[in-house]
Amino acid sequence: KIFLQASGEDGGERRLLRVEAASGRIEWSVSRPGKSAHAHKKNSLASSTPAADAERVTVIVWDGADVWVVGYDHGGKQLWEHKLGGYVSQHGVGMSPVVHDGLVYVNYDQDGAAELVALDAKSGKPVWVKKHKAFRACYSSPLIRNAGGRVEVVNASTAGVTCLLYTS
């Protein structure tokens, strides 16, 4: 299965689609409201890549005003949503979530404000938030690595690279 995001040309909706990999057939599509917003001409209003594990698919949705992290089951039923807040950049939203060992990691990095967020993958509730130095919006995804019983979260931004260590 392949999970994709799309946006209507007028910006009025955001979609999550599940595609059968072998045939390219769209198996289902779910929609959320959106509105038009400023984005780079080579960007869309749905530039984020969904992240999936064996049970859920997690997406970043920018409705044109606010950024949401949304969890769905593999049948397209929404399980939870978590509002990150507004977004300021020259090009629009483009960050993608990473799912690892029951957590969803998001580099919520924008012009003038930046934080790394870890959410519980089952409930969408915040587990921890780590603010870091901000400069310009950055669209990188965190790199997650198991290291001898600890988890390393490496996060790159336009202001530098941060590595967090914690015991899972």
Side-chain angles (χ1 to χ4, degrees), residues 7-163:
S7 173
E9 284 190 42
D10 68 354
E13 71 175 336
R14 308 295 186 266
R15 295 188 103 31
L16 172 64
L17 301 96
R18 187 171 91 174
V19 178
E20 170 33 63
S23 69
R25 180 180 62 86
I26 296 174
E27 295 181 328
W28 55 254
S29 173
V30 294
S31 177
R32 289 179 61 96
K35 60 184 176 184
S36 187
H38 172 74
H40 189 277
K41 65 183 178 180
K42 294 183 178 180
N43 192 13
S44 85
L45 298 172
S47 293
S48 301
T49 302
D53 62 15
E55 299 173 42
R56 291 168 290 279
V57 59
T58 305
V59 297
I60 302 289
V61 178
W62 181 40
D63 64 14
D66 292 311
V67 176
W68 298 81
V69 185
V70 187
Y72 293 91
D73 68 16
H74 281 251
K77 177 184 173 195
Q78 183 177 317
L79 303 171
W80 53 262
E81 65 183 20
H82 177 76
K83 182 178 177 180
L84 292 173
Y87 195 78
V88 178
S89 83
Q90 299 173 10
H91 304 298
V93 170
M95 79 282 276
S96 298
V98 174
V99 178
H100 176 76
D101 199 23
L103 294 178
V104 176
Y105 299 89
V106 178
N107 179 22
Y108 184 45
D109 193 336
Q110 58 188 305
D111 290 359
E115 57 190 30
L116 184 62
V117 179
L119 305 173
D120 180 85
K122 289 182 182 176
S123 68
K125 296 195 181 320
V127 175
W128 52 260
V129 175
K130 175 66 177 161
K131 292 187 182 297
H132 57 90
K133 186 176 180 181
F135 179 59
R136 292 263 187 224
C138 181
Y139 309 105
S140 66
S141 297
L143 171 72
I144 315 300
R145 181 174 174 261
N146 287 325
R150 297 183 311 176
V151 175
E152 295 179 346
V153 182
V154 180
N155 192 57
S157 74
T158 55
V161 176
T162 305
C163 181

